[in-house]
Amino acid sequence: MKLLVIGSGGREHAIAKKLLASPEVTAVYAAPGNAGMVLDGIETVAIHINQHAELIEFAQSNDITFTFVGPDDALAAGIVDDFEAAGLSVFGPTKRAAELEWSKDFAKQIMNQYDVPTAGHKTFSEFSQAATYIASKGAPIVIKADGLALGKGVVVAETVAQALDFTRDVLENNKFGKSRVIVEEFLDGEEFSLFAFVKNDKYYMMPTAQDHKRAYDHDKGPNTGGMGAYSPVPHLPQSVVDTAVETIIKPVVNGMIAEGRPYTGILYAGLILTADGPKVIEFNARFGDPETQVILPRLTSDFAVNMRDLLADKTPDFTWVNGGVTLGVVVASEGYPGDYIKGVKIPEKTTGNITTYYAGVMADATGQLVTNGGRVYLLETSADTVSDAQAILYKHLKAQDTTGLFYRNDIGDKANV
Ligand code: AMP
Ligand code: GLY
């Protein structure tokens, strides 16, 4: 098989690397990919994710068995619809199914309709009405701009004033290019992520994971795409996972069919374990980054064969490592998620029991890998316990020259309490 992965981040590096590990796979292409992936034998293709016609032509002329779509913006732009219209096999939701991610308002409608537990909410397009509602509810309160805002469209406001400022920015100052806000009840509890491979009415759960969204240690600083993760979440009882599957994954998968928008792709539920059980804070229509880099290394079955079977409506035999834990620490450009410089030299690729997944990197004129984005690379390892994995990764990170870069020193600490 020859396979194509759409995207260029650490998530796509992990997907492509795992696909390439299959004895049945002769080549994995990543479009556009990144220069770090090449070190693992992945072939990069210089086509942008929004050039659907060029991507389709590439898949056809290279006999691609199936294409795996990584990023949400490609899905929201209807890349799956276009590939399917061209008769190509592709893994990801159609634009209408991916609306679960690209419209938070649509996601809320589905959850209400199918009794999926989530935070209470109301949608507004008028500032004055939103302001009255926010004042009546008080803080803490959560405000979300409706639509894709690449992680910047949410504020967990600790005061009413902060909530009003953000709401004004969305509705009156047009800072996000969105015309609606969702005002949401603040959910108190531990956050975790649940991922499923979905093909219409069939779903196959993956191990749980926990992301670290804030930029700095002890969950301080701005929200980022994710600064590190581990899988599974050892202190999460199986009963909670089972409840989440029954009350969240199953009704959404069936609900999407009932709505005439059958879902194929990764279904990613961002959850908070409240005193009343797990509740949804958001759905994503794709794999998480950096969660993928800690989940996929735990897959022991042939990923490419699993995906081919799933797409052909055969039952895929996914198998996973049973014990231990996999940890990943993101190394980012100093300044991320704000402004940062590019072109900073980055350390050598790791070998042995530590894997490097590359994201915001490029090769300079001499072939040296340098920074080219906010999140630059992630180091991943597996061990018996979270603290063992932390010891391995942090020892290695301290020995690397990370001038101009930074990372969190506490990835996985929540699992150690
Ligand atoms: P989202 O973009 O919806 O994932 O929100 C970004 C982050 O804000 C989440 O990862 C949570 O940490 C936090 N968050 C979002 N919604 C809520 C909520 N209703 N209650 C508490 N925290 C939330
Ligand atoms: N790690 C969070 C995300 O992929 O959205």
Side-chain angles (χ1 to χ4, degrees), residues 50-53 56 77-88 90 94:
N50 62 19
Q51 292 177 291
H52 297 187
I56 287 167
I79 194 167
V80 168
D81 310 62
D82 290 346
F83 268 64
E84 284 179 348
L88 290 166
V90 56
T94 59

Side-chain angles (χ1 to χ4, degrees), residues 82-339:
D82 290 346
F83 268 64
E84 284 179 348
L88 290 166
S89 180
V90 56
F91 187 66
T94 59
K95 180 173 182 171
R96 267 163 57 75
E99 192 166 356
L100 261 189
E101 171 163 7
W102 59 261
S103 166
K104 290 184 188 278
D105 198 36
F106 173 74
K108 286 293 190 187
Q109 280 174 36
I110 291 290
M111 287 189 270
N112 285 349
Q113 177 109 6
Y114 298 98
D115 290 327
V116 173
T118 185
H121 71 284
K122 239 178 138 111
T123 304
F124 297 93
S125 46
E126 282 287 323
F127 176 73
S128 60
Q129 288 170 9
T132 308
Y133 181 75
I134 291 166
S136 77
K137 289 286 171 183
I141 193 158
V142 181
I143 318 289
K144 303 184 177 185
D146 190 35
L148 287 180
L150 300 175
K152 289 184 197 140
V154 179
V155 71
V156 180
E158 275 149 39
T159 63
V160 167
Q162 198 189 345
L164 293 179
D165 282 349
F166 182 80
T167 305
R168 197 176 292 108
D169 277 347
V170 180
L171 295 182
E172 297 204 321
N173 303 335
N174 194 29
K175 277 211 182 155
F176 296 89
K178 310 289 173 210
S179 54
R180 292 185 299 190
V181 294
I182 295 168
V183 181
E184 207 171 274
E185 168 198 2
F186 171 75
L187 296 178
D188 196 12
E190 187 157 353
E191 204 170 330
F192 69 102
S193 310
L194 205 54
F195 294 87
F197 295 101
V198 182
K199 176 81 196 299
N200 299 329
D201 61 329
K202 303 286 192 308
Y203 56 87
Y204 305 89
M205 301 309 301
M206 303 182 214
T208 54
Q210 192 170 54
D211 190 10
H212 297 63
K213 289 208 167 118
R214 300 295 195 102
Y216 313 131
D217 288 359
H218 312 301
D219 290 336
K220 301 279 190 254
N223 253 314
T224 70
M227 293 298 295
Y230 59 94
S231 171
V233 184
H235 51 290
L236 202 65
Q238 185 58 39
S239 60
V240 169
V241 177
D242 294 345
T243 302
V245 172
E246 279 306 307
T247 61
I248 296 164
I249 303 296
K250 202 168 155 182
V252 168
V253 165
N254 291 328
M256 292 298 280
I257 293 170
E259 296 295 314
R261 305 181 188 224
Y263 194 97
T264 290
I266 306 289
L267 181 60
Y268 163 176
L271 308 176
I272 290 188
L273 179 53
T274 71
D276 300 328
K279 294 192 181 182
V280 177
I281 45 173
E282 63 164 356
F283 285 113
N284 294 309
R286 50 163 177 90
F287 252 134
D289 188 340
E291 291 98 320
T292 310
Q293 296 92 305
V294 297
I295 290 176
L296 281 185
R298 302 185 65 78
L299 185 74
T300 49
S301 50
D302 185 319
F303 188 36
V305 170
N306 290 157
M307 297 310 303
R308 185 181 61 192
D309 287 349
L310 185 75
L311 284 163
D313 289 315
K314 291 187 201 153
T315 304
D317 188 13
F318 290 108
T319 55
W320 303 91
V321 176
N322 253 326
V325 65
T326 303
L327 186 82
V329 178
V330 169
V331 181
S333 297
E334 237 166 55
Y336 171 78
D339 294 338

Side-chain angles (χ1 to χ4, degrees), residues 361-376:
V361 303
M362 61 177 282
D364 71 9
T366 66
Q368 161 73 42
L369 279 190
V370 296
T371 62
N372 186 41
R375 292 188 293 176
V376 178

Side-chain angles (χ1 to χ4, degrees), residues 368-389:
Q368 161 73 42
L369 279 190
V370 296
T371 62
N372 186 41
R375 292 188 293 176
V376 178
Y377 64 97
L378 170 145
L379 296 189
E380 171 267 310
T381 200
S382 294
D384 287 344
T385 65
V386 170
S387 51
D388 290 348

